[in-house]
Amino acid sequence: QQAAMAEKMTVLIHQADVATQRGLVDCLEPGAPRNLLQYHLVLRYLKVGEDALALETFSALIDVAPDSPEAEAVRVQLAQLEGRLAAKAVSMGCLLPLSGPYQAFGQQALAGIEYALLALERSQLGRRLDIKLVVQDTAGDIAYTVAAVQALARAGVVAVVGAMVTAEEACREMQAAQIPVIALTQREGIPQMGDYIFRNFIIPQHQIDALVDYAMTDLGLTRFAILYPEEAYGDLYAELFWEAVKQRGGAVVGAVGYATGTTDFRAAIARLVGDEHVRQAISREPKEETEEAFAVDFEALFIPEAAETAALILPQLAYYDVKELYTLGTHLWHSPKLIEMAGRYGRNSLFPSAFFSGSSSPMVQAFISGFEREFGRTPG
C-alpha cells in the first residue's frame, strides 16, 4: 500500500502552502513522509527562483537520507545550480564589546559566532559562499558603538550579529541605516524598535515562564513567596514572577524586599515567616502541641539574585528553620559559586538557563565536542 499512500500524501502536500510544509518538516522524524515533503519543497523553491533555500533544504535531506529516491530525484536538478550559486562574497558584521568592562562577554559571544561561521562554511550552502566576518569593538561605550555601526555600513555588510551592552543605541543606528541586526540582549522592547531589528537571547519573561510552568505543572506547587533585592533587577523579576503565578492559578502568599548589599537576612526572613518563627528557630525551643504553629505556609521561595548572594541566603533560611521547600532562582544561579558557597543548602534549587553543557541532547553534545576541537576549551 506504500505507493497508494505516497500518492495521497503528494496530493495533500500540493494543497499545503510553503509555511505549512516547512512546519511539517520541522516536526516530523526522519523517514519517508519527511523525505517526500523536503523533495517537494526543493521543487517549489526551484520553481520560484529561491536557489539558496532549495540548496539548504536539499542539504538537510541528504544529511539524513542520502540514498533515498527523493534525494536522487532532486540531485539531478540541483546540479544545474552550480553555475548560479558560484562563490558569492558576503560580508557579515559583528558588533561586540571586545574591550572595556564587558569584554569577557564579548569574547565569549565572538567565539560562538566564529564557530557557527566555521560550521556554515563546511555545509552544502556554505561551500558556495565566501563569507567575510567584519568585527567591530563597541567597548561597551555609546560613542564607540555609533562609530562602529557607521564603519560596518561603510564596509557594506548585509547583516550584523551582536549589539549587547549598548544594544539600544546600536539598534537605533542599524534601523536608520536599514541593516538587519540580530541583537544579543535581554533588554525590553528591542525588537519593537524597527523592522530591521531582531533578537536571539533569553529574556526575563522566557525565564519566568519556564520556571513557573515547571514548578506548577511538573512539581504541582501552588503556593509561593518572593525574597528580592529592592533594585531594578529584583523589582522586575519579582513582578514578572508574581504575575506568572497568578495567571496560572497559583498564589504568592508573601513578598519581602531587602536593600542591595545585605549579608545578614534575618530581618527579611522574619518579615516573611514571622518574628516568632525566627525567635523559636534561634532558641531551638520545642513547640508545644497546643501552641499555635508558626509553620512556613509556602512551598517554594523565589530569590532573583546573583549566585553569590543566593549562596548566602540559602544557609540562613535553614538556620531560621525555613526548610523543606524549593528555592527558585534566575539564570544568574547557573554558576559553580552557588554549589561552592552554599554546599548542601543548595539542594532543591531550581533555575532556568539558556545553555547547559551537561545536557544529553545530541545537538548540545555535538556543539560541545566541535567547539572543543576548534578552540581547545569547553564553551561557557
Side-chain angles (χ1 to χ4, degrees), residues 167-243:
E168 192 169 338
E169 294 75 14
C171 290
R172 189 177 294 113
E173 294 290 322
M174 292 289 180
Q175 179 67 26
Q178 297 189 344
I179 301 173
V181 57
I182 301 177
L184 307 178
T185 176
Q186 65 174 351
R187 188 171 297 181
E188 292 292 327
I190 289 295
Q192 289 73 39
M193 291 181 65
D195 50 359
Y196 285 83
I197 313 302
F198 302 86
R199 185 215 310 273
N200 183 21
F201 207 77
I202 184 172
I203 64 173
Q205 191 66 62
H206 293 161
Q207 295 187 56
I208 295 301
D209 286 343
L211 186 64
V212 174
D213 279 342
Y214 185 82
M216 298 188 69
T217 304
D218 291 63
L219 300 179
L221 308 180
T222 59
R223 296 176 67 79
F224 302 86
I226 306 171
L227 188 63
Y228 66 100
E230 293 176 322
E231 39 80 43
Y233 185 89
D235 292 343
L236 171 64
Y237 276 87
E239 182 180 346
L240 290 174
F241 185 86
W242 194 315
E243 186 60 30

Side-chain angles (χ1 to χ4, degrees), residues 337-359:
K337 292 179 181 178
L338 185 72
I339 298 172
E340 292 167 5
M341 295 174 62
R344 62 190 176 90
Y345 300 108
R347 290 174 181 170
N348 289 334
S349 293
L350 301 170
F351 51 87
S353 185
F355 175 74
F356 174 48
S357 61
S359 169

Side-chain angles (χ1 to χ4, degrees), residues 5-163:
M5 290 173 66
E7 185 177 342
K8 289 182 179 180
M9 281 192 286
T10 301
V11 172
L12 289 171
I13 288 168
H14 280 302
Q15 292 174 352
D17 57 26
V18 172
T20 302
Q21 288 188 25
R22 286 189 69 94
L24 286 168
V25 166
D26 292 339
C27 71
L28 283 174
E29 294 293 326
R34 189 171 188 244
N35 297 345
L36 194 61
L37 274 163
Q38 288 176 310
Y39 168 67
H40 285 283
L41 265 176
V42 171
L43 297 185
R44 278 197 171 185
Y45 287 140
L46 288 173
K47 186 176 181 180
V48 297
E50 292 279 8
D51 295 344
L53 284 173
L55 190 60
E56 178 187 343
T57 307
F58 174 64
S59 298
L61 173 59
I62 63 172
D63 280 346
V64 295
D67 300 322
S68 66
E70 293 81 10
E72 188 56 40
V74 84
R75 192 176 272 116
V76 177
Q77 298 187 50
L78 281 175
Q80 302 169 7
L81 287 179
E82 294 297 332
R84 302 211 301 269
L85 287 177
K88 177 184 176 184
V90 175
S91 292
M92 187 182 78
C94 188
L95 197 62
L96 298 169
L98 300 175
S99 62
Y102 303 100
Q103 70 176 56
F105 301 106
Q107 295 290 351
Q108 287 179 3
L110 180 59
I113 291 168
E114 288 175 337
Y115 177 73
L117 186 58
L118 284 171
L120 176 63
E121 287 172 346
R122 291 165 183 163
S123 69
Q124 193 86 1
L125 174 62
R127 284 193 287 271
R128 289 162 173 79
L129 296 173
D130 176 19
I131 304 172
K132 178 185 177 184
L133 192 63
V134 182
V135 181
Q136 286 288 328
D137 179 15
T138 67
D141 178 85
I142 294 176
Y144 276 89
T145 298
V146 173
V149 172
Q150 293 170 352
L152 291 176
R154 289 193 298 271
V157 299
V158 297
V160 171
V161 175

